[in-house]
Amino acid sequence: MLVRGILLAVQALQLARAVDLPAGSCAFEENTCSFDSVLAFRPWILNEEGHYIYVDSSFAKQGDRALLLSSDLQAEEWSCLRLVYQIAASSGSPSDPSQLNLYVRFEDESFDRLLWSANEPSDSWLIASLDLQNTPKKFKILIEGVLGLGSIALFEIKMTTGYCIECDFEENHLCGFVNRWNPNVNWFVGGGTSRNSHSVLPQDHTFKNELGHYMYVDSVYIKHFQEVAQLISPMTTAPMSGCLSFYYQLQQGNDNVFSLYSRDVTGVYEEIWKTNSPGNPAWNLAEVEFSAPYPMELIFEVAFNGPKGGYVALDDISFSPVHCQNQTELPFSAIDASCDFEEDLCNFYQDKEGPGWARVKVKPNMYRTGDHTSGLGYYLLANTKFTSQPGYIGRLYGPTLPGNLQYCLRFYYAIYGFLKMRDTLAVYIFEENHVVQEKIWSVLETPRGVWMEAEIAFKKPMPTKVVFMSLCKSFWDCGLVALDDITIELGSCRSPEKLPSAPGECTFEQDECAFTQERRNRSSWHRRRGETPTSYTGPKGDHTTGVGYYMYIEASHMVYGQKAHLSSGPLRGVTGKHCLAFFYHMYGAGTGLLSVYLKKEGDSEESLLWRRRGEQSISWLRALIEYSCERQHQIIFEAIRGMSIRSDIAIDDVKFQAGPCAEMEDITQQSSGYSEDLNEIDY
């Protein structure tokens, strides 16, 4: 149980107030500083006696929203945003609580980025600490309260330069650090006027006098051997790597063990530092290499062997994005470990013997699927040129990955022609000497000819390589194995079905995001997974994972020329260019039209941005549309049913991006897009 309050000094209600708060901060004493309620929604109300603002839920409906928007902000250096808040449940209604969301609104983006969300009711103030990576862009902070059964209040917002895991313990909220409650031994605030300990405690390190503060843990109340006290930092919310430093003092160091651990969101501990000597009676500096490529928290732990273990004091935790002295280890690069095979094999390589994996592309056609990246690009194919060899094994080796890190491997594969599919594609982990091998994944039964996503989490103590193997056991069992879009990232894998779509993006895995339709009936856009009901038209699976959801029109429910419209939510107008990327599927002899329109606020007519007419490919194809709009606007997808029931049209993975498209396609093409050489593979 984590207890904030007297064990961490005074409660959050007694937070110290700074006279000159930095930009992006407010203590809500007399006003809301540079924050304003958005008039189109419910207001945030300043408490008459000051100290906090709240959303009045007494006359509100569930789902009502209140928005608080900051003025323009800049974070040219890494910054920490702290929010002191409370979500109170109404009496007898713990279910369906209110929710508090915090977004970042960049000046050049037409959508908001969700940075943090909470809906846990509490009977006291809580602290959220959020890392803001340095950026030259201007942005605003948007705080959204969504009312459920209970109220929402904000006590303080504070944005300061530095990392959220840094702390000198001079502020009463202690930078969001919390003590893990133990009946006999806990971390307390030392210094200042506090004189609660039976031990003779030091002056603090920050000010080097009796007015400053630090954290300490004392053994005087120990009743058992190996009593443990833990001080836990806020969870990191952005990737960071560098040198963590802090000052500590030990008294009678032989009777206690002072350690520092990192812990990820799955609860996995790793010891990253430990005292190896009693140290000086004065403050000692500790420096430790700390890498948090995914969310982590720090745990300062003291274990006592008895009541004569003395005390341990801690002060001035700081972080620098450069390595500690004598540390030259290169950080892991996800870009170097990933490949879409559009240009070459990147940092992957294969055995020199045998035909191996060939890098190929397929022109849009009605029989063979193109690559996963765009439908028009390159991918890898094993056992190609239709000369499969019985007993053949093709190996594709990835780059060396540093040991002792959590990785998530994702890739897309498609299987063609095998009678027995099991083990036709497998993934192994090789240690660098290629001696130790471990199979971490292999294909089971799967739809043929559909790009399927695979996701594998692994962590090994030694440097390793990921190896893809295609196995052909006998001539009659041979076929083709396709591989594309390999990514290796740090952190735990998270299933797309459990995660909402990224900001400005919709994969349709959970719902239709902010897309709406004027009317819903059999001739509307429908959200579906798997094949469409009519043969020889529509996709076999979605583009995101192969087994997820997409949006489509069912031609058998429509008449020739009937239209279906799917509209985005309102998008803010910003200066400069926007890029809209999405995947579309137009397969079927009677396929009609797919068009994308821009509808500006206040205009009665839409303007055409993009169009495709007729059958295009059996593959999902990528569309890139570049446009400009400085007014609030919507994007509308219009599908028109063609001449026959083989006219299903589908879209998936819609993404809005700030700035011009990185690569542009020919947007003038409006007719059928496939090659006359329908089954041609380019090597």
Side-chain angles (χ1 to χ4, degrees):
M1 176 182 175
L2 296 179
V3 176
R4 295 168 174 84
I6 192 164
L7 297 174
L8 292 179
V10 293
Q11 293 184 343
L13 283 170
Q14 300 169 320
L15 292 177
R17 293 298 200 257
V19 176
D20 298 317
L21 286 168
S25 305
C26 194
F28 304 113
E29 287 294 351
E30 299 174 352
N31 53 45
T32 58
C33 311
S34 61
F35 288 83
D36 293 306
S37 288
V38 179
L39 296 178
F41 302 90
R42 297 195 67 82
W44 287 87
I45 302 168
L46 184 68
N47 181 41
E48 291 181 0
E49 299 177 2
H51 307 311
Y52 64 90
I53 59 173
Y54 65 97
V55 184
D56 186 3
S57 60
S58 53
F59 301 104
K61 302 191 298 290
Q62 279 188 260
D64 279 0
R65 299 159 64 207
L67 299 184
L68 191 68
L69 189 64
S70 75
S71 58
D72 281 336
L73 302 171
Q74 275 194 290
E76 293 182 348
E77 297 182 68
W78 193 290
S79 300
C80 178
L81 183 69
R82 284 202 173 87
L83 199 69
V84 185
Y85 69 96
Q86 184 179 7
I87 300 172
S90 59
S91 57
S93 301
S95 62
D96 202 10
S98 297
Q99 182 163 318
L100 191 60
N101 303 318
L102 189 143
Y103 298 87
V104 177
R105 176 177 289 182
F106 286 104
E107 61 178 347
D108 63 343
E109 291 183 341
S110 58
F111 51 87
D112 302 323
R113 294 180 174 270
L114 180 64
L115 192 64
W116 171 85
S117 182
N119 63 358
E120 291 293 323
S122 71
D123 54 7
S124 63
W125 296 101
L126 302 177
I127 300 174
S129 301
L130 309 166
D131 286 293
L132 300 177
Q133 292 174 286
N134 46 307
T135 173
K137 296 182 189 177
K138 287 183 180 178
F139 63 91
K140 297 177 189 282
I141 297 296
L142 179 68
I143 298 171
E144 176 189 54
V146 183
L147 287 171
L149 298 175
S151 59
I152 306 171
L154 288 179
F155 187 70
E156 183 179 71
I157 302 168
K158 192 166 186 182
M159 181 174 152
T160 54
T161 300
Y163 295 79
C164 290
I165 56 172
E166 296 181 312
C167 199
D168 60 10
F169 303 108
E170 298 304 329
E171 296 191 61
N172 287 347
H173 56 51
L174 305 179
C175 319
F177 278 73
V178 294
N179 173 75
R180 186 174 186 275
W181 168 253
N182 181 319
N184 301 320
V185 58
N186 290 282
W187 286 91
F188 292 88
V189 178
T193 57
S194 63
R195 287 291 176 268
N196 300 326
S197 174
H198 294 259
S199 302
V200 179
L201 294 172
Q203 294 182 339
D204 95 308
H205 180 267
T206 313
F207 298 116
K208 298 180 174 56
N209 60 33
E210 294 182 352
L211 299 177
H213 298 86
Y214 53 87
M215 299 300 294
Y216 77 95
V217 57
D218 199 333
S219 65
V220 69
Y221 300 111
I222 293 295
K223 295 180 180 178
H224 308 283
F225 286 109
Q226 285 296 307
E227 290 272 22
V228 171
Q230 290 185 334
L231 183 69
I232 304 171
S233 78
M235 186 78 74
T236 62
T237 59
M240 60 183 69
S241 178
C243 188
L244 178 78
S245 63
F246 55 92
Y247 286 86
Y248 69 96
Q249 273 199 37
L250 300 178
Q251 185 191 48
Q252 296 169 242
N254 291 332
D255 291 327
N256 60 56
V257 178
F258 182 28
S259 307
L260 174 60
Y261 295 87
S262 64
R263 182 171 65 184
D264 65 18
V265 290
T266 63
V268 175
Y269 280 78
E270 182 184 351
E271 184 179 85
I272 58 175
W273 177 88
K274 188 178 190 176
T275 49
N276 52 16
S277 65
N280 301 319
W283 288 102
N284 299 276
L285 171 65
E287 291 185 323
V288 57
E289 200 71 18
F290 176 60
S291 178
Y294 40 87
M296 281 189 182
E297 56 195 4
L298 295 167
I299 300 178
F300 292 88
E301 180 180 282
V302 179
F304 289 106
N305 291 322
K308 295 183 180 180
Y311 69 82
V312 175
L314 173 68
D315 203 2
D316 293 342
I317 302 168
S318 63
F319 179 81
S320 168
V322 298
H323 289 288
C324 301
Q325 295 177 357
N326 303 323
Q327 292 281 344
T328 57
E329 180 183 343
L330 293 174
F332 166 81
S333 168
I335 295 174
D336 292 341
S338 304
C339 196
D340 62 10
F341 305 107
E342 293 305 311
E343 301 294 332
D344 50 33
L345 295 184
C346 310
N347 292 312
F348 288 76
Y349 65 95
Q350 55 185 323
D351 290 331
K352 293 181 180 178
E353 306 107 27
W357 293 84
R359 184 172 155 268
V360 304
K361 70 185 297 186
V362 177
K363 295 175 182 176
N365 68 87
M366 299 308 112
Y367 302 100
R368 188 177 298 285
T369 307
D371 82 318
H372 179 266
T373 314
S374 68
L376 303 168
Y378 285 89
Y379 60 96
L380 294 188
L381 200 57
N383 299 345
T384 56
K385 296 188 179 178
F386 318 107
T387 57
S388 301
Q389 299 179 4
Y392 167 72
I393 298 177
R395 292 188 180 92
L396 179 72
Y397 297 88
T400 300
L401 305 173
N404 212 30
L405 287 174
Q406 179 72 47
Y407 294 102
C408 179
L409 166 66
R410 290 187 186 91
F411 59 92
Y412 288 84
Y413 67 95
I415 308 292
Y416 304 88
F418 285 92
L419 289 175
K420 296 179 181 177
M421 195 169 290
R422 184 179 294 270
D423 289 336
T424 54
L425 177 65
V427 180
Y428 286 79
I429 292 292
F430 281 25
E431 289 193 6
E432 277 203 289
N433 56 15
H434 288 199
V435 173
V436 180
Q437 305 175 16
E438 178 190 349
K439 184 163 74 172
I440 59 173
W441 179 90
S442 65
V443 70
L444 301 174
E445 286 300 312
T446 186
R448 285 170 170 78
V450 177
W451 283 111
M452 305 289 291
E453 183 191 49
E455 194 176 66
I456 310 157
F458 65 93
K459 182 177 183 178
K460 298 296 175 186
M462 302 293 290
T464 56
K465 293 183 179 184
V466 171
V467 182
F468 294 87
M469 286 192 189
S470 171
L471 176 61
C472 178
K473 295 179 181 177
S474 68
F475 177 80
W476 299 108
D477 193 32
C478 287
L480 302 177
V481 178
L483 191 61
D484 203 4
D485 293 344
I486 301 172
T487 61
I488 301 178
E489 297 175 339
L490 290 168
S492 303
C493 294
R494 294 175 175 84
S495 169
E497 292 187 4
K498 298 177 184 176
L499 279 182
S501 297
E505 186 174 348
C506 190
T507 62
F508 304 109
E509 294 306 301
Q510 290 189 322
D511 51 33
E512 296 174 17
C513 308
F515 284 91
T516 58
Q517 302 185 65
E518 287 183 7
R519 61 182 182 276
R520 290 180 182 272
N521 51 40
R522 283 161 58 93
S523 59
S524 305
W525 286 89
H526 302 281
R527 181 170 164 267
R528 184 178 178 88
R529 73 194 307 178
E531 294 184 89
T532 62
T534 311
S535 59
Y536 299 106
T537 187
K540 292 183 178 179
D542 79 322
H543 179 265
T544 316
T545 65
V547 293
Y549 288 88
Y550 55 89
M551 297 295 290
Y552 90 110
I553 60 163
E554 176 50 54
S556 63
H557 294 165
M558 304 170 73
V559 296
Y560 174 56
Q562 194 169 4
K563 300 176 180 178
H565 292 101
L566 186 67
S567 302
S568 74
L571 297 163
R572 279 194 316 281
V574 296
T575 56
K577 291 189 178 295
H578 304 265
C579 181
L580 167 63
F582 65 96
F583 284 82
Y584 64 97
H585 198 281
M586 298 175 72
Y587 165 57
T591 303
L593 274 79
L594 176 63
S595 306
V596 178
Y597 291 94
L598 170 67
K599 188 177 191 310
K600 298 180 182 179
E601 186 179 44
D603 287 1
S604 57
E605 297 291 322
E606 301 98 7
S607 55
L608 178 66
L609 294 177
W610 178 96
R611 173 170 286 164
R612 288 291 181 272
R613 183 193 309 272
E615 190 172 46
Q616 299 291 309
S617 175
I618 199 171
S619 301
W620 284 100
L621 301 176
R622 184 180 62 186
L624 297 171
I625 306 172
E626 203 169 89
Y627 71 98
S628 300
C629 188
E630 297 188 10
R631 271 190 279 164
Q632 183 164 298
H633 59 282
Q634 288 178 288
I635 294 295
I636 300 173
F637 291 90
E638 179 191 75
I640 302 179
R641 197 258 207 194
M643 289 184 292
S644 76
I645 61 170
R646 293 189 173 90
S647 182
D648 293 349
I649 296 174
I651 62 170
D652 200 6
D653 294 347
V654 181
K655 187 174 184 179
F656 295 92
Q657 298 167 283
C661 297
E663 35 185 313
M664 283 300 297
E665 62 175 16
D666 177 13
I667 63 171
T668 59
Q669 176 193 331
Q670 296 184 11
S671 60
S672 184
Y674 56 82
S675 165
E676 291 184 7
D677 191 352
L678 292 180
N679 209 20
E680 182 179 346
I681 298 179
D682 292 342
Y683 292 94

